[in-house]
Amino acid sequence: MMEASSVFSTQSPLLIVEDSNEDFEALRRYIQQYHLPIPLYRCTKGDQALAFLYRTGQYADAALAPRPGLILLDLNLPGTDGREVLRRIKQDDHLKTIPVIILTTSNNPKDIKACYQHGVNSYVIKPMDFKVLKHSIQTLLSYWFEITMLPSESLEDNLL
Amino acid sequence: MRQSVNSTLSVDLTNCDREPIHIPGLIQPHGVLLVLRPDLNIVQVSHNVSALIGRQPQELLGQPLAVLLPPEQIDMVQQCLIGDFECVNPLDISVEFKDQLLRFDGIVHCCNDLVILELEPRQINSKNDFFQFHQRVKGTITKIQKAPTLLEMCKVVVKEVQKITGFDRVMVYRFDAEGAGVVIAEDHVETMVPYLGLRYPATDIPKQAKQLYTLNWLRLIPDSTYEPVALVPENAIDDRPTDLSLSVLRSVSPLHLEYLKNMGVQASMSISLIQDQKLWGLIACHHSEPRYVPYTVRTICEFVGQVMSVELATKESHEDLDYKMALKSLQGKFVESLSHSQSFLEGLVQLNSSLLDLVGATGAVVCAGEQVICIGQTPPESELPALRDWIKTNIQHNLFESQALSTIYPPAEAFKDIASGLLALEISKVNQNYILWFRPEVFQTVSWGGNPNKPVEITADGEARLSPRKSFERWQETVEGCSVPWKLCEIEIVTELRSLIVGIILSQADEMAKINLELERSNTELDAFAYVASHDLKEPLRGIHNYSNFLMEDYGDVLHEDGVAKLQTLVRLTQRMEDLINSLLHYSRLGRTEISRQPTNLNDIVRQVIDTLTISQPHQPIEFRLPRPLPIIRCDRTQVNELFTNLISNAIKYNDHAEKWVEVGFIEADPKNQDTSSPEIFYVRDNGIGIPEKHLGRIFQIFKRLHAQDEYGGGTGAGLTIVQKIVERHEGKVWVESSSGGGSTFYFTLAAEAQL
């Protein structure tokens, strides 16, 4: 599912892979409250996320699936789960430069370790408290979209 | 008569075995022997035909039998040849001699295409009808059958045979496994020296004599001082001497005659006792004077011998019947007890003395791996591993048996007084599971009928001469290093026991494997359940939490104060619910993750915990007491940190004293106490509110709280459950001493392997 974002922006889009509508609703609420407009795309399943990134199937039209500047990925997804999606992204030379942040309920040390071994850029446990959640989201956005320099897509393409 | 054996090579007692006693060419003089061709022409006669029937050998040789017997008797002989001669013997034969009609018992048999007719003069008044036979035999047979034991039967038989034959001495002589014979029953006239219990070496009855005893049920020597009578001509046909194996008159080996003479026996009769085609023993009859036994009486004796032979098997199987039954029932109890015990060793050891009774042993050793358990009188424990290893290499078909261990295992000489007899059962070679039973040495006195070492005489001309023993004086030998032999039934019980034990072990192992598998599966399932449930419960909970907040954010002004307060409660409840779920998740993870032991200074851990707790509650003045430094042990640092955190924070939390204190220390465990494998018992003590006794049993239950949620700082009620789990993961124990208002002390141990 592609969520409507601001009509025009130079801002790289944010891809959220999250199957829970309520969790997504909470995320969207605080992303929209952020002072910068960030184009938002959502996938509910792992396979769908891969189709989005590889521009296959329903996302064959490149206009429908722009390359995201950041991916928020849930681990427990129906079908192909987040662990597999992460592995595929980080093994792909073209995709692995996209920062991936795991946002999950799982605080299992095994999961945390495995994700970092696969090259995840951050592992965030979904906070229960909405205030904490709001703060976490805004911190993430400001860090990844304002503080950090990300590789530019065009430059990367040129290099390839 | 002398029999010389020319041998420069070897003279030993077995030379007797080579004497050709079945072709002596001689007969005893109390009857005549005629050898006939199948057409009943006479080809060989005994020289005494002239004396007994008044014919010269020349008158008979080459002549048809008709020259001697009337046609009807010839017919009888011929019928005899067609049928089974045993059934018709003896024939009623009469021969005319000097106008007298001499009556004979005619005994016919065939041998190598020759007919042998033997005539024994018939006693006056001797009748041979079946009715009389039946009369005389009936009572004896009944007594034999009714005898309760083998020995009783033998006693009956000697008495009956004595009555029937009138011999001075009648004995039952039984062969043992080595071929030596023992007199096991005897009836004799009062003036004679008893032979009962005497043993005679195997060489007393040579192999070929035994063979003849097996062929003929009965052998009679009416007068051992007889002059043998030659057969004329020397050979009947060709150059072969006539085979007299089945002849009743066959002349006796001169060695045997000398033997009898030395024993003071003039007449002798032997009745064979045969079991499974093997000579089991003899009914031996001796008389100090010549004694002839008529053929009909011999038939009766033969019949008695045959009946007794048939009864041998029955009586032997009834032997020790009560003992066998007792063993069987003991075996049943044994198996019953084994099947209920946790391990092979434990089960057997519990049985204690019944393990000895099972085979009538005085000591037993149960080996299981390197463990050895002794019951009763056994060799010293230091000798057992070597003995077991020796048995291991010598055992066959899982069983080893000896009644004279020191003769085959010399080190046993040292403990032959308690372990001359050994019965060993191998349950498992791999696991070194053995049961050994011991019997003490019993000084046995074997009474030989004379020195059993047969002497060899060297004659004047340098020939070695075998001579039968001259002395039959009781000659006693003391046998050392022997125990009472293991009975066949005892060995059988033990063999059966093995298959029963193996059966039990297999089924127990099987069951154990099943239970373990099931346990493992259910544990894994439970963990997976707790984990999945916790995660999946959290998602909707987060939804409720977030949406409640959205409601307050978006519609706060419409909801009024009251509505917002209710939503706040809802939010608080979701947070509490999350705490519970997190505790559950944490608890389930404690059960699943491997603990990683590393050397840990417990003083550092406790110091850290105290620091953390004091920082979070700086306004509470608490006195921490550490009476002496804690040890350094091997444990999972993170878990032990949590363990102390939970115990110390509880100690602080549940305390309403103005001056709170918490003491952390350890005491030395009592090494005799099997419950704790750890040398230290750690404790966390406080002067807090304590726990009422009625609640002590439930404080470790998960989510069990003793106080209202808003009292004593709240909490999920998982803290002590987690403490218990951590202690269990460290193979220790945790317990509490407390009373309401009197403070609490939590004790715990962390297994022996926690030692550095």
Side-chain angles (χ1 to χ4, degrees):
Chain A
M1 283 298 287
M2 189 186 76
E3 290 292 324
S5 59
S6 42
V7 181
F8 171 78
S9 171
T10 53
Q11 189 69 52
S12 324
L14 169 63
L15 173 64
I16 297 180
V17 189
E18 170 63 69
D19 64 321
S20 157
N21 289 333
E22 292 72 31
D23 279 355
F24 176 76
E25 198 49 44
L27 291 175
R28 189 175 65 170
R29 187 181 185 90
Y30 299 117
I31 290 166
Q32 281 177 347
Q33 285 176 14
Y34 191 63
H35 65 95
L36 289 177
I38 295 168
L40 197 58
Y41 292 84
R42 180 195 177 194
C43 295
T44 55
K45 287 183 279 196
D47 288 331
Q48 191 191 0
L50 291 170
F52 182 94
L53 293 169
Y54 286 108
R55 292 172 184 158
T56 56
Q58 64 183 107
Y59 299 107
D61 178 359
L64 290 175
R67 180 183 167 95
L70 180 69
I71 301 170
L72 287 184
L73 177 63
D74 190 7
L75 279 187
N76 294 319
L77 295 170
T80 306
D81 80 353
R83 297 163 188 84
E84 173 68 11
V85 175
L86 172 67
R87 204 177 57 79
R88 295 276 294 274
I89 293 171
K90 292 300 178 186
Q91 281 176 357
D92 186 300
D93 283 337
H94 182 59
L95 295 177
K96 71 178 177 194
T97 53
I98 305 174
V100 178
I101 294 162
I102 296 293
L103 192 58
T104 179
T105 313
S106 172
N107 58 356
N108 187 339
K110 273 189 207 160
D111 276 338
I112 298 172
K113 194 175 173 189
C115 286
Y116 278 108
Q117 275 171 342
H118 280 117
V120 80
N121 300 76
S122 264
Y123 191 105
V124 178
I125 293 159
K126 284 178 187 169
M128 184 69 181
D129 191 303
F130 83 106
K131 282 182 217 135
V132 179
L133 176 68
K134 186 173 178 176
H135 179 252
S136 300
I137 295 294
Q138 294 191 339
T139 308
L140 277 176
L141 294 178
S142 97
Y143 181 79
W144 289 105
F145 288 105
E146 292 184 72
I147 298 170
T148 309
M149 264 322 275
L150 293 174
S152 123
E153 195 181 346
S154 54
L155 175 66
E156 195 184 347
D157 287 345
N158 289 342
L159 284 174
L160 285 169
Chain B
M1 256 320 223
R2 275 195 168 186
Q3 172 102 3
S4 294
V5 178
N6 291 311
S7 164
T8 50
L9 290 171
S10 73
V11 175
D12 64 41
L13 303 184
T14 61
N15 279 13
C16 271
D17 285 350
R18 292 199 289 271
E19 190 192 351
I21 59 173
H22 64 297
I23 45 169
L26 301 165
I27 61 161
Q28 301 180 62
H30 63 277
V32 294
L33 184 140
L34 306 170
V35 181
L36 315 167
R37 282 209 308 247
D39 62 4
L40 300 188
N41 266 7
I42 302 170
V43 290
Q44 195 180 27
V45 296
S46 57
H47 203 271
N48 59 351
V49 282
S50 54
L52 286 179
I53 53 175
R55 313 288 157 93
Q56 291 304 316
Q58 292 74 16
E59 290 175 51
L60 298 172
L61 288 170
Q63 300 298 315
L65 189 57
V67 300
L68 193 65
L69 302 181
E72 66 272 17
Q73 291 183 14
I74 306 249
D75 281 352
M76 284 199 319
V77 172
Q78 259 166 342
Q79 270 169 15
C80 214
L81 298 179
I82 301 161
D84 183 356
F85 45 84
E86 273 206 38
C87 299
V88 284
N89 282 333
L91 304 175
D92 194 351
I93 303 284
S94 47
V95 178
E96 266 182 59
F97 180 33
K98 292 181 185 165
D99 303 329
Q100 263 188 304
L101 202 60
L102 296 178
R103 300 189 66 190
F104 292 90
D105 282 326
I107 302 130
V108 185
H109 75 271
C110 291
C111 190
N112 302 332
D113 290 332
L114 292 173
V115 179
I116 294 172
L117 172 62
E118 293 167 277
L119 304 176
E120 290 184 18
R122 177 170 292 192
Q123 305 295 98
I124 310 139
N125 297 332
S126 152
K127 284 187 234 160
N128 60 354
D129 58 79
F130 173 76
F131 186 68
Q132 190 200 15
F133 174 86
H134 179 252
Q135 281 282 314
R136 292 186 65 177
V137 128
K138 196 179 139 193
T140 306
I141 302 305
T142 312
K143 280 181 196 161
I144 288 175
Q145 284 171 334
K146 279 190 177 165
T149 66
L150 184 73
L151 207 62
E152 286 301 317
M153 174 170 76
C154 295
K155 284 180 188 169
V156 165
V157 166
V158 290
K159 209 164 249 144
E160 291 297 309
V161 172
Q162 201 282 328
K163 260 197 274 177
I164 295 166
T165 60
F167 272 88
D168 288 342
R169 186 199 299 274
V170 179
M171 301 170 283
V172 171
Y173 186 82
R174 180 185 185 168
F175 296 110
D176 66 14
E178 283 77 43
V182 187
V183 177
I184 59 168
E186 185 183 27
D187 191 77
H188 60 86
V189 293
E190 277 180 12
T191 52
M192 293 180 106
V193 180
Y195 284 179
L196 187 64
L198 290 189
R199 182 175 289 265
Y200 297 85
T203 48
D204 271 17
I205 300 178
K207 213 163 55 187
Q208 75 278 39
K210 269 194 180 161
Q211 167 67 14
L212 289 179
Y213 280 129
T214 318
L215 289 177
N216 298 285
W217 283 94
L218 190 137
R219 173 78 164 137
L220 175 69
I221 306 162
D223 184 356
S224 64
T225 59
Y226 71 92
E227 276 298 321
V229 178
L231 296 182
V232 187
E234 204 176 322
N235 297 325
I237 33 173
D238 308 330
D239 293 333
R240 280 183 300 147
T242 308
D243 184 347
L244 297 181
S245 292
L246 298 174
S247 154
V248 295
L249 292 172
R250 170 168 37 85
S251 191
V252 184
S253 151
L255 286 169
H256 185 60
L257 292 177
E258 203 174 335
Y259 182 92
L260 290 176
K261 206 176 102 192
N262 292 347
M263 225 193 287
V265 173
Q266 204 164 354
S268 128
M269 183 172 85
S270 309
I271 305 158
S272 306
L273 297 171
I274 293 169
Q275 190 180 20
D276 299 329
Q277 275 109 49
K278 270 190 234 141
L279 194 61
W280 180 91
L282 294 170
I283 303 171
C285 310
H286 292 169
H287 207 68
S288 50
E289 283 164 29
R291 183 163 195 88
Y292 176 74
V293 183
Y295 193 88
T296 43
V297 176
R298 273 143 57 197
T299 317
I300 291 166
C301 293
E302 197 178 304
F303 186 65
V304 168
Q306 286 170 339
V307 170
M308 182 174 165
S309 294
V310 171
E311 285 287 313
L312 284 173
T314 325
K315 294 288 193 280
E316 276 188 335
S317 72
H318 280 73
E319 201 80 323
D320 298 329
L321 195 62
D322 287 349
Y323 183 57
K324 283 177 194 163
M325 294 295 284
L327 288 191
K328 201 77 192 168
S329 102
L330 208 56
Q331 187 196 47
K333 280 184 202 149
F334 214 91
V335 168
E336 170 82 12
S337 151
L338 272 186
S339 59
H340 289 124
S341 62
Q342 299 284 315
S343 74
F344 162 72
L345 193 67
E346 182 199 304
L348 285 179
V349 170
Q350 271 176 3
L351 292 159
N352 211 328
S353 64
S354 25
L355 187 64
L356 303 181
D357 297 341
L358 189 69
V359 292
T362 45
V365 167
V366 180
C367 306
E370 287 309 315
Q371 262 183 300
V372 163
I373 288 178
C374 302
I375 299 164
Q377 295 272 305
T378 63
E381 219 165 301
S382 56
E383 300 273 3
L384 294 174
L387 176 61
R388 180 201 59 204
D389 292 344
W390 181 81
I391 290 168
K392 215 170 158 179
T393 54
N394 286 277
I395 204 160
Q396 278 181 334
H397 307 296
N398 311 311
L399 197 81
F400 178 84
E401 175 234 334
S402 170
Q403 70 167 116
L405 184 59
S406 59
T407 59
I408 41 174
Y409 178 64
E413 184 71 24
F415 46 81
K416 64 176 183 179
D417 53 329
I418 40 175
S420 275
L422 169 67
L423 183 62
L425 182 68
E426 181 177 78
I427 313 277
S428 158
K429 198 167 227 135
V430 179
N431 297 326
Q432 303 212 99
N433 284 349
Y434 290 86
I435 310 178
L436 319 181
W437 285 274
F438 301 102
R439 275 182 183 172
E441 176 179 39
V442 175
F443 288 106
Q444 281 176 321
T445 306
V446 176
S447 304
W448 293 96
N451 188 331
N453 307 306
K454 195 185 270 192
V456 176
E457 284 178 10
I458 307 294
T459 54
D461 50 2
E463 279 183 344
R465 175 184 176 274
L466 280 179
S467 103
R469 292 186 286 111
K470 291 199 172 65
S471 168
F472 291 88
E473 286 297 297
R474 186 173 285 260
W475 191 90
Q476 292 196 324
E477 183 186 16
T478 305
V479 180
E480 291 180 20
C482 274
S483 73
V484 175
W486 302 98
K487 288 189 178 178
L488 188 65
C489 61
E490 290 160 347
I491 292 169
E492 277 169 358
I493 280 281
V494 160
T495 315
E496 272 176 41
L497 186 67
R498 181 181 188 273
S499 51
L500 292 168
I501 290 176
V502 168
I504 290 169
I505 291 176
L506 283 182
S507 73
Q508 276 180 347
D510 218 34
E511 205 167 309
M512 198 69 84
K514 262 188 219 157
I515 291 172
N516 275 338
L517 206 69
E518 183 63 22
L519 205 61
E520 208 173 292
R521 198 182 57 77
S522 83
N523 270 342
T524 316
E525 259 179 17
L526 198 66
D527 283 341
F529 170 78
Y531 187 76
V532 169
S534 309
H535 272 99
D536 292 352
L537 286 176
K538 271 185 165 187
E539 192 192 294
L541 187 63
R542 216 165 34 232
I544 296 168
H545 178 93
N546 287 336
Y547 275 71
S548 304
N549 280 305
F550 297 166
L551 257 179
M552 286 189 282
E553 275 185 0
D554 299 350
Y555 303 96
D557 48 340
V558 206
L559 287 169
H560 307 298
E561 212 173 300
D562 186 44
V564 171
K566 288 197 163 80
L567 278 173
Q568 278 166 344
T569 305
L570 187 62
V571 167
R572 204 185 67 241
L573 286 176
T574 58
Q575 274 162 340
R576 170 151 183 77
M577 179 89 171
E578 206 217 359
D579 287 345
L580 289 172
I581 292 171
N582 282 342
S583 301
L584 198 63
L585 199 60
H586 180 56
Y587 178 73
S588 100
R589 193 175 297 144
L590 273 178
R592 278 180 295 117
T593 47
E594 288 293 312
I595 62 166
S596 75
R597 288 185 190 267
Q598 43 193 314
T600 306
N601 187 336
L602 291 182
N603 298 295
D604 295 348
I605 297 271
V606 171
R607 182 53 47 203
Q608 248 177 46
V609 168
I610 291 172
D611 286 350
T612 315
L613 289 173
T614 6
I615 289 164
S616 62
Q617 295 154 316
H619 49 284
Q620 288 194 325
I622 303 148
E623 183 196 346
F624 290 99
R625 299 175 177 176
L626 295 161
R628 54 172 168 167
L630 298 169
I632 296 171
I633 62 163
R634 286 176 55 79
C635 63
D636 186 307
R637 239 178 247 180
T638 322
Q639 289 195 4
V640 170
N641 186 306
E642 187 171 4
L643 168 68
F644 278 108
T645 305
N646 287 1
L647 287 178
I648 296 171
S649 68
N650 272 356
I652 299 168
K653 225 165 36 174
Y654 300 100
N655 195 327
D656 44 17
H657 257 263
E659 290 175 9
K660 301 171 185 177
W661 56 259
V662 179
E663 183 179 316
V664 182
F666 68 97
I667 49 176
E668 271 78 26
D670 179 0
K672 275 175 263 166
N673 187 350
Q674 301 257 313
D675 281 356
T676 56
S677 54
S678 147
E680 302 102 3
I681 299 172
F682 300 97
Y683 66 85
V684 175
R685 182 171 294 145
D686 62 58
N687 63 336
I689 56 169
I691 304 158
E693 206 188 327
K694 59 173 177 172
H695 295 313
L696 281 177
R698 293 187 291 165
I699 55 164
F700 292 107
Q701 280 175 22
I702 194 161
F703 302 146
K704 182 70 206 171
R705 289 182 48 86
L706 301 180
H707 307 281
Q709 267 177 35
D710 44 3
E711 286 180 313
Y712 300 106
T716 59
L720 286 179
T721 316
I722 286 166
V723 163
Q724 192 182 38
K725 191 77 177 184
I726 292 171
V727 169
E728 276 171 10
R729 291 304 312 267
H730 284 79
E731 286 153 66
K733 282 200 162 76
V734 59
W735 66 100
V736 63
E737 275 173 17
S738 182
S739 62
S740 198
S744 307
T745 308
F746 283 86
Y747 296 95
F748 64 92
T749 60
L750 296 169
E753 66 185 275
Q755 297 312 299
L756 281 173

